[in-house]
Amino acid sequence: EVQLVESGGGLVQTGGSLRLSCAASGFTFTNYWMSWVRQAPGKGLEWVANIKQDGSGSYYVDSVKGRFTISRDNAKNSLYLQVNSLRAEDTAVYYCARYQWSVGAFDIWGQGTMVTVSS
Amino acid sequence: EIVLTQSPGTLSLSPGERATLSCRASQSVSSSYLAWYQQKPGQAPRLLIYGASSRATGIPDRFSGSGSGTDFTLTISRLEPEDFAVYYCQQYGSSPWEFTFGPGTKVDIK
């Protein structure tokens, strides 16, 4: 079964840091770009970052550049998001998602992990 | 930056009725990179349509997508109880590099 399972969310103070993880299974992880997409409470979806198959390139939405870092460990079939200098507006459910270029869409999603930033 | 606008914000319909959801882009987008997702409360989004008109694996044929350029449509031919959800359109653009979602259309039970 193709599956993505996120972990690492929690309650953190403004300015704090967290490392989100996503464990992939059921597909050849090294064949795919991977992404993080977030959703603030009661709001819509926002793409955050994505990373190439071999980790050689990564891209970010402007609002997180310099604060968030996406990475992957292909030996462990895992995706990560290091989130630093957190702000109240970063409060959201963070989804790990597979981006499949052959269909031009996020075709597999995890269940999400909640990050709450509190002052 | 391409902005996606979805209308209506909320669509109140009864089971069995036809739903027509609109997604309009501020600039022309490639149909190859226009997708639609369904999200139910407390769940992750699910890919419905990719390439503007192709159904993803396992998606019933009552869901269909169409459109090109700046105007795209998701149609649900006959609403089933499980179709009441929020629907998002999404596009990829390379200049600047971005993956943009629309604000969503909520389809609720009338």
Side-chain angles (χ1 to χ4, degrees):
Chain A
E1 180 190 6
V2 175
Q3 197 171 12
L4 298 171
V5 179
E6 302 94 333
S7 59
L11 176 63
V12 62
Q13 289 191 322
T14 301
S17 299
L18 282 174
R19 189 194 196 203
L20 309 183
S21 299
C22 170
S25 59
F27 64 97
T28 304
F29 187 66
T30 53
N31 285 353
Y32 296 93
W33 285 59
M34 296 298 297
S35 305
W36 290 96
V37 177
R38 68 183 177 182
Q39 185 170 37
K43 303 297 184 182
L45 301 166
E46 180 184 39
W47 167 73
V48 174
N50 56 15
I51 188 167
K52 290 184 175 181
Q53 295 97 320
D54 61 359
S56 63
S58 55
Y59 303 85
Y60 301 88
V61 69
D62 285 348
S63 60
V64 308
K65 284 179 181 175
R67 300 189 300 122
F68 290 11
T69 302
I70 189 172
S71 62
R72 63 193 294 163
D73 185 337
N74 286 343
K76 295 183 178 179
N77 287 346
S78 292
L79 177 72
Y80 306 101
L81 187 69
Q82 178 69 41
V83 296
N84 299 331
S85 303
L86 283 162
R87 307 166 179 167
E89 56 265 34
D90 296 318
T91 293
V93 175
Y94 285 73
Y95 294 101
C96 169
R98 186 176 83 175
Y99 193 81
Q100 182 154 196
W101 284 102
S102 63
V103 301
F106 300 99
D107 66 336
I108 304 295
W109 296 68
Q111 86 289 349
T113 188
M114 182 72 201
V115 172
T116 303
V117 184
S118 171
S119 56
Chain B
E1 177 189 350
I2 294 177
V3 176
L4 298 178
T5 303
Q6 292 187 241
S7 61
T10 301
L11 194 52
S12 296
L13 295 168
S14 301
E17 290 193 296
R18 181 184 187 89
T20 303
L21 288 66
S22 172
C23 175
R24 181 161 291 176
S26 58
Q27 304 171 42
S28 182
V29 305
S30 169
S31 297
S32 298
Y33 297 111
L34 193 288
W36 290 90
Y37 303 85
Q38 177 194 65
Q39 187 178 34
K40 298 179 182 179
Q43 295 186 16
R46 176 175 72 145
L47 176 64
L48 293 177
I49 300 288
Y50 63 90
S53 60
S54 298
R55 276 186 300 277
T57 303
I59 301 304
D61 61 7
R62 64 180 180 273
F63 290 92
S64 63
S66 63
S68 63
T70 60
D71 290 293
F72 298 89
T73 301
L74 174 70
T75 302
I76 311 171
S77 58
R78 287 179 57 86
L79 282 164
E80 298 287 342
E82 62 267 28
D83 299 336
F84 292 93
V86 179
Y87 294 84
Y88 295 95
C89 58
Q90 176 260 321
Q91 69 90 29
Y92 157 72
S94 61
S95 185
W97 182 279
E98 60 183 5
F99 296 81
T100 312
F101 289 89
T105 290
K106 182 178 182 181
V107 178
D108 66 13
I109 299 176
K110 187 173 182 180

